[in-house]
Amino acid sequence: MTTITYSSRARFFRRLWQKNIHILAGSLIQGFAMGVFLFPHAIPAGGCAGLAILLYHSLQLPVSIGLWATNILFLLLAVHHLGRVSAIGTIIVITATAVSVNFFQVYLHSPFSNVWLDLIAGSVFLGAGISVLLRERFTNGGIGFVALALARRRKVNPGSTLFWMNAVIFLLTAVVIDWSIIVLALLCQWISTRIVKMAYSPVMLLKRPLYFGVWRKK
């Protein structure tokens, strides 16, 4: 009995450690994508990033702080749908991402000198980071928390939900941001959500999205 209890506890702590590593990795990957490839060209990596860029242009508020604040606001809108535990984890993701964005913006620079190459690289890394977080039942931020809640209720792919929510915010901010930036932002969202869909709807699983298994009610 003692052996079984010890084994169960060991598995629990091992899984908890792995989960925390994955959450941190996903946050750093998307922070790397935004800080190195996307934000230097003012390309919003998502709806909250678009709002953060607007805050920077209007109030000179640092993008990392604006990113954190807007994500927290969206998180509060959906916290009652997914629970406090998920909310706490998402706050950790938001904070780690904001800190990593600030770090990468200061200490790392893109090896490319072309906006399109930066767009592709940043979008791929962004999608990879989001996929890692979704596999651990966490989102890439507050607006992702809202998208995850909607996807859970309506049984739709979270990548598609994220895309359309972000697209609406991009259109609303088009008055302030140059239209070429909006086009780049939509392309970024399209590429990154393709990465998410590839991760969650592999052909080898007979077209059964993985997120159905993750969110299945017990």
Side-chain angles (χ1 to χ4, degrees):
M1 193 71 177
T2 304
T3 304
I4 295 176
T5 302
Y6 176 79
S7 177
S8 299
R9 288 180 178 178
R11 286 196 301 269
F12 170 78
F13 284 111
R14 182 168 60 251
R15 174 53 186 156
L16 182 62
W17 174 256
Q18 293 174 346
K19 190 180 188 72
N20 290 332
I21 291 297
H22 292 162
I23 292 172
L24 179 60
S27 302
L28 292 178
I29 291 172
Q30 66 174 5
F32 172 74
M34 289 185 274
V36 176
F37 298 106
L38 300 177
F39 284 171
H41 300 286
I43 301 175
C48 288
L51 296 177
I53 291 176
L54 278 178
L55 290 173
Y56 173 76
H57 281 283
S58 59
L59 303 175
Q60 295 301 305
L61 184 70
V63 177
S64 57
I65 296 178
L67 184 67
W68 185 87
T70 54
N71 271 303
I72 291 296
L73 289 177
F74 274 103
L75 174 63
L76 294 177
L77 294 176
V79 63
H80 60 285
H81 290 291
L82 296 177
R84 295 180 180 177
V85 174
S86 295
I88 292 173
T90 303
I91 291 174
I92 295 174
V93 170
I94 292 170
T95 303
T97 300
V99 172
S100 63
V101 165
N102 185 70
F103 174 85
F104 288 127
Q105 279 186 318
V106 174
Y107 294 104
L108 286 181
H109 302 283
S110 171
F112 311 116
S113 58
N114 185 285
V115 62
W116 297 105
L117 293 178
D118 283 342
L119 170 66
I120 294 173
S123 301
V124 170
F125 278 112
L126 180 65
I130 293 173
S131 298
V132 171
L133 294 171
L134 288 177
R135 284 185 179 278
E136 295 298 336
R137 301 181 67 179
F138 287 99
T139 73
N140 63 315
I143 195 169
F145 204 72
V146 175
L148 192 60
L150 292 175
R152 184 178 183 180
R153 290 174 63 87
R154 298 180 178 276
K155 305 297 183 183
V156 296
N157 193 290
S160 298
T161 308
L162 276 173
F163 177 83
W164 290 111
M165 291 184 66
N166 289 328
V168 170
I169 294 178
F170 294 153
L171 292 176
L172 290 176
T173 57
V175 175
V176 178
I177 301 176
D178 185 83
W179 280 104
S180 63
I181 299 298
I182 296 300
V183 171
L184 292 173
L186 291 175
L187 287 174
C188 172
Q189 287 299 295
W190 185 83
I191 295 172
S192 61
T193 51
R194 291 299 100 185
I195 300 298
V196 173
K197 286 187 176 183
M198 287 172 59
Y200 277 83
S201 302
V203 177
M204 66 181 65
L205 293 181
L206 301 179
K207 299 182 179 180
R208 182 185 180 185
L210 293 179
Y211 63 84
F212 285 138
V214 172
W215 294 341
R216 184 174 59 250
K217 293 183 179 180
K218 302 295 183 184

